[in-house]
Amino acid sequence: MERPDRLILGIETSCDETAAAVVTADGQIKSNVVASQAELHAEFGGVVPEIASRRHLELIGPVVREALEQADATLDELDRIAVTQGPGLIGALLVGIAVAKSLAWSRRLPLAPVDHLRGHVASLFLQPAPVEPPFLCLLASGGHTLLIDVRDDGTQNVLGSTLDDAAGEAFDKGARLLGLGYPGGREIDRLAREGDPAAYDFPVARVPELDFSFSGLKTALLYATRELSPEQLAERRADLAASYQRAIVTALVERVRKAAKETAAARVALVGGVAANSELRAGLADAALAPLELCTDNAAMIASAGRFVEPVPYPGYLGLDAYASR
Ligand code: KG4
Ligand code: ZN
């Protein structure tokens, strides 16, 4: 991708966001369209894979069209298509991959398969303020919690990851126990501001090395809420949210600090949906952050990562498959 004005169409359908974006080879965002399905899954308290796949199928056409229109570009002006290959919900991924393949094939374009997690990291490489490696990256989302050592030669080493639930998942499950809406991270974040973070002494799992664990915390919240009547729960909800959030954020911040020390990282960066959390942002005030709309799932980050992937030339990608986990 030598010429900086070359256009990449990114497509992301790994979970419950149907997204398309147009990004230039030098990382300028021309458009970034995200259709969230969150409301559709809210009544189930989590993403229902089959519903997600069907909804992606309905939304992907209009979302791609909108991304091209907003970028004032046509399919003929694209130089490359980038698509999330995994990890994620397999049926959801396949919708994006099928669309990306057919669009690329119809214009004889190369196709860049992108790893979703590398996509999150690549949200930091976009204009107007790209973060230069090396840095230590905390990726905390609904599906993943990883500490990644990002080197300036492009290598990314995973230093630690969650042994059970992801940080976002812990927020979502906690919100459910507290009778809050889905997705729960934002709800807990909002409610926590009204509560006392020291009201409950929830456990901060200190597993060995640089890994994370959040399932014990979730169980502790379950026990705490079980003892309360509905009236008592309503009264203590903000304190529970604040204390629960404090435990998650403490675990994340502690691990980041430990990893930064061990790797002598000069810089720390924060990506993924949980990066929107105000207490985490305050706890890692020196961390580099992508803008909020690039923290949650989007296709600009996929197009961005697609700049650094060796694309599969036409028509070699027709057999390309999705992968559910790494
Ligand atoms: O990156 P993302 O959009 O999707 C995945 O790839 O998983 O992250 C979504 C996650 C959800 O679990 C959501 O509850 C969490 O990010 N989240 C938050 C906040 N906003 C979103 N968690 C804590 N505080 C927030 N303000
Ligand atoms: Zn994600």
Side-chain angles (χ1 to χ4, degrees), residues 106-123:
S106 74
R107 295 297 187 280
R108 299 184 171 238
L109 291 172
L111 184 73
V114 170
D115 182 274
H116 182 80
L117 308 179
R118 282 185 170 259
H120 272 296
V121 174
S123 68

Side-chain angles (χ1 to χ4, degrees), residues 79-110:
D79 296 282
R80 179 181 294 191
I81 294 183
V83 65
T84 308
Q85 190 183 11
L89 303 170
I90 208 80
L93 288 162
L94 285 173
V95 175
I97 290 179
V99 169
K101 278 182 192 172
S102 23
L103 289 178
W105 186 81
S106 74
R107 295 297 187 280
R108 299 184 171 238
L109 291 172

Side-chain angles (χ1 to χ4, degrees), residues 8 21-32 119-132 135 289-291 293-295 298-308:
I8 308 149
V22 177
V23 167
T24 63
D26 66 348
Q28 289 189 47
I29 303 175
K30 293 282 185 187
S31 66
N32 186 21
H120 272 296
V121 174
S123 68
L124 295 160
F125 302 148
L126 287 160
Q127 301 284 354
V131 183
E132 290 291 326
F135 56 82
L289 295 159
E293 69 273 18
L294 296 177
C295 281
N298 65 85
M301 70 183 197
I302 301 303
S304 176
R307 297 181 292 151
F308 309 105

Side-chain angles (χ1 to χ4, degrees), residues 12 14-15 17 87 116-117 120 139-144 272-273 295-298 301:
E12 152 66 36
S14 68
C15 190
E17 262 95 27
H116 182 80
L117 308 179
H120 272 296
L139 159 54
S141 72
H144 309 278
C295 281
T296 48
D297 284 353
N298 65 85
M301 70 183 197

Side-chain angles (χ1 to χ4, degrees), residues 99-277:
V99 169
K101 278 182 192 172
S102 23
L103 289 178
W105 186 81
S106 74
R107 295 297 187 280
R108 299 184 171 238
L109 291 172
L111 184 73
V114 170
D115 182 274
H116 182 80
L117 308 179
R118 282 185 170 259
H120 272 296
V121 174
S123 68
L124 295 160
F125 302 148
L126 287 160
Q127 301 284 354
V131 183
E132 290 291 326
F135 56 82
L136 173 72
C137 185
L138 172 66
L139 159 54
S141 72
H144 309 278
T145 305
L146 300 167
L147 270 169
I148 308 165
D149 185 16
V150 182
R151 296 275 131 200
D152 45 13
D153 64 357
T155 55
Q156 299 187 10
N157 292 320
V158 176
L159 304 175
S161 61
T162 183
L163 303 175
D164 38 59
D165 293 345
E169 197 177 356
F171 271 108
D172 295 336
K173 288 180 176 171
R176 200 168 172 181
L177 289 171
L178 293 173
L180 302 169
Y182 170 86
R186 207 174 41 198
E187 300 285 324
I188 291 190
D189 194 356
R190 192 180 43 78
L191 190 61
R193 287 177 205 149
E194 298 159 25
D196 175 7
Y200 288 85
D201 191 18
F202 286 131
V204 176
R206 293 190 172 91
V207 286
E209 310 294 336
L210 292 166
D211 289 329
F212 302 88
S213 167
F214 295 105
S215 64
L217 172 63
K218 182 190 60 197
T219 309
L221 179 65
L222 171 69
Y223 287 151
T225 52
R226 246 189 356 203
E227 284 170 11
L228 303 174
S229 68
E231 296 75 31
Q232 286 171 322
L233 177 61
E235 218 169 86
R236 305 299 312 269
R237 195 175 273 127
D239 285 344
L240 285 162
S243 306
Y244 187 73
Q245 173 171 289
R246 173 62 52 91
I248 296 176
V249 170
T250 302
L252 293 174
V253 172
E254 272 186 9
R255 280 290 179 277
V256 169
R257 295 279 177 238
K258 184 170 178 223
K261 208 166 167 190
E262 285 180 13
T263 58
R267 196 129 198 232
V268 169
L270 200 51
V271 295
V274 180
N277 185 265

